[in-house]
Amino acid sequence: MKRVIHLISTLALCCGAAQAATKCDVELGHGLIITDDVIRIVDNGQTRVQINHDEQLLIGGYWIDLNSEEIQVLKEYSLGIRNTVPELVELATDGVNLGLSAIEQVVESMSDKEPEVLKTQLQYVERALMDKFKRGDDFFFIAPQSLSKIDDFFTKEISQKIHSAVHGSLGAILVSLGDAFKSREGNIEDRINDMGQRMEIISREIDKSLQKKAHQLEAKAAEYCECLNTLDKTESRLQAIVPQLNKYDLVKIRS
C-alpha cells in the first residue's frame, strides 16, 4: 500500500516561505489518525470528525453537504494536515525503536537472557512513545500536544524512562550473572566493572541520540511554523462554513 507521505508533496508550497529560525507556539487540540484515504480527528479513541478522500466531511457520524467552493476549502485543510503531521510522526518515531532494540541486544549479550525488569521498563518507554506518536504500514497517529515542546518529551520524559530501564536492569543483570561469574575464569570485579562501563556508554549514546532527535523535531516544527499558520487560517475559513467544527478546533497558535 502506498505511503501517505507521497500525498504530502501536493501542498508543499504552503511551507515554501517558512524560515527554520521562526518560532511559534502551536498546539494540536485533538488527536489525528491519517491514512491514504481518510483523516480522523479523534478524542479518547472516538472519531469526532472524518474527512474522506480530502473532499467528504462527516461530523459526529453525520454527512455534511458542501458545494464545490466549500469542498475546495475542505481539500486545502485536509492536504494542509497531510503536509505537516505525517513527517513529524515519522521523524519522532524513526530510530527510537531501533535504539530500544539495541539496548536489549547489549543487555542480552551480557547476561545470556533479558532481565524481566528491563523488558517491563522498555514496554513503558514504548507505550509513552506510542501514546504521543505512532505509525504503521498504512497510518500515522499524533496525540493532542504542544508541537513546540516536542523536544522536552524526548530529552526529559523518554530520556528518563530509558535511563531507568538501563540502570534498573543493572542489578538484575548482576544477580543473574552471579553463578555464571563463579564458573568462569577471570576476575569477577573486572567483569562487573566492564559491564558497568558498557552500560554507561549505552546511556551516553542514548542521550546523544535523543538530543539529536529533539533538535531535529524542534527545527522541523519551526520550519513548519508558516505552514501551521496557513493551516490555522484555512481551519478558520472552514469553521465559518461549518460552525459545528468550532467544537473540534484542531490547530491552536498562541502568540
Side-chain angles (χ1 to χ4, degrees):
M1 192 170 185
K2 64 182 185 298
R3 300 288 291 177
V4 179
I5 206 76
H6 293 319
L7 296 173
I8 294 173
S9 59
T10 58
L11 202 67
L13 15 133
C14 87
C15 296
Q19 308 241 336
T22 306
K23 283 284 184 181
C24 58
D25 191 355
V26 182
E27 283 187 17
L28 289 181
H30 304 272
L32 278 171
I33 299 172
I34 303 171
T35 68
D36 287 338
D37 301 322
V38 178
I39 291 176
R40 302 178 194 271
I41 296 176
V42 297
D43 279 324
N44 300 317
Q46 297 292 315
T47 299
R48 307 302 183 186
V49 178
Q50 182 170 321
I51 303 171
N52 297 332
H53 307 289
D54 303 320
E55 56 183 26
Q56 298 170 344
L57 179 64
L58 290 90
I59 300 177
Y62 291 94
W63 190 284
I64 306 297
D65 284 325
L66 300 173
N67 61 38
S68 58
E69 290 182 0
E70 293 167 344
I71 288 173
Q72 281 303 116
V73 178
L74 175 64
K75 189 172 290 189
E76 283 182 40
Y77 179 62
S78 179
L79 293 177
I81 291 172
R82 293 186 184 279
N83 192 52
T84 52
V85 174
E87 188 173 358
L88 286 174
V89 174
E90 284 209 332
L91 192 57
T93 56
D94 183 43
V96 174
N97 291 328
L98 290 175
L100 299 182
S101 298
I103 294 171
E104 290 181 286
Q105 289 171 8
V106 171
V107 171
E108 285 176 0
S109 73
M110 294 177 187
S111 62
D112 300 323
K113 67 177 183 177
E114 182 181 342
E116 198 62 34
V117 64
L118 176 68
K119 193 177 295 184
T120 302
Q121 291 287 338
L122 290 182
Q123 285 174 351
Y124 289 148
V125 178
E126 290 175 344
R127 195 173 305 135
L129 181 66
M130 289 192 295
D131 282 346
K132 292 273 191 179
F133 307 95
K134 192 174 182 180
R135 67 174 178 180
D137 290 337
D138 58 356
F139 77 94
F140 295 91
F141 165 76
I142 190 167
Q145 60 188 291
S146 170
L147 296 182
S148 50
K149 294 182 180 177
I150 292 177
D151 54 335
D152 287 344
F153 173 66
F154 282 92
T155 57
K156 294 177 183 176
E157 184 174 345
I158 291 294
S159 177
Q160 184 178 1
K161 288 182 184 297
I162 290 178
H163 276 276
S164 296
V166 172
H167 292 290
S169 64
L170 191 55
I173 294 170
L174 290 172
V175 171
S176 68
L177 285 178
D179 293 335
F181 279 148
K182 293 174 185 177
S183 65
R184 294 177 187 170
E185 295 181 2
N187 186 286
I188 293 177
E189 289 185 8
D190 287 344
R191 289 178 181 274
I192 292 175
N193 287 335
D194 177 62
M195 182 173 62
Q197 289 170 4
R198 290 169 70 180
M199 297 291 268
E200 285 300 323
I201 291 171
I202 293 170
S203 294
R204 286 198 299 271
E205 290 304 311
I206 289 167
D207 280 340
K208 285 181 189 176
S209 175
L210 290 172
Q211 286 283 355
K212 182 179 179 181
K213 178 71 65 181
H215 291 325
Q216 287 175 330
L217 285 161
E218 188 178 30
K220 185 58 66 174
E223 179 185 325
Y224 277 146
C225 187
E226 183 65 28
C227 194
L228 289 165
N229 270 287
T230 301
L231 180 60
D232 185 44
K233 291 173 184 174
T234 305
E235 182 177 47
S236 295
R237 288 164 56 207
L238 190 59
Q239 288 168 341
I241 296 168
V242 187
Q244 302 97 302
L245 281 174
N246 283 294
K247 187 178 178 181
Y248 307 109
D249 194 35
L250 180 65
V251 184
K252 299 179 180 180
I253 297 181
R254 307 183 188 283
S255 58

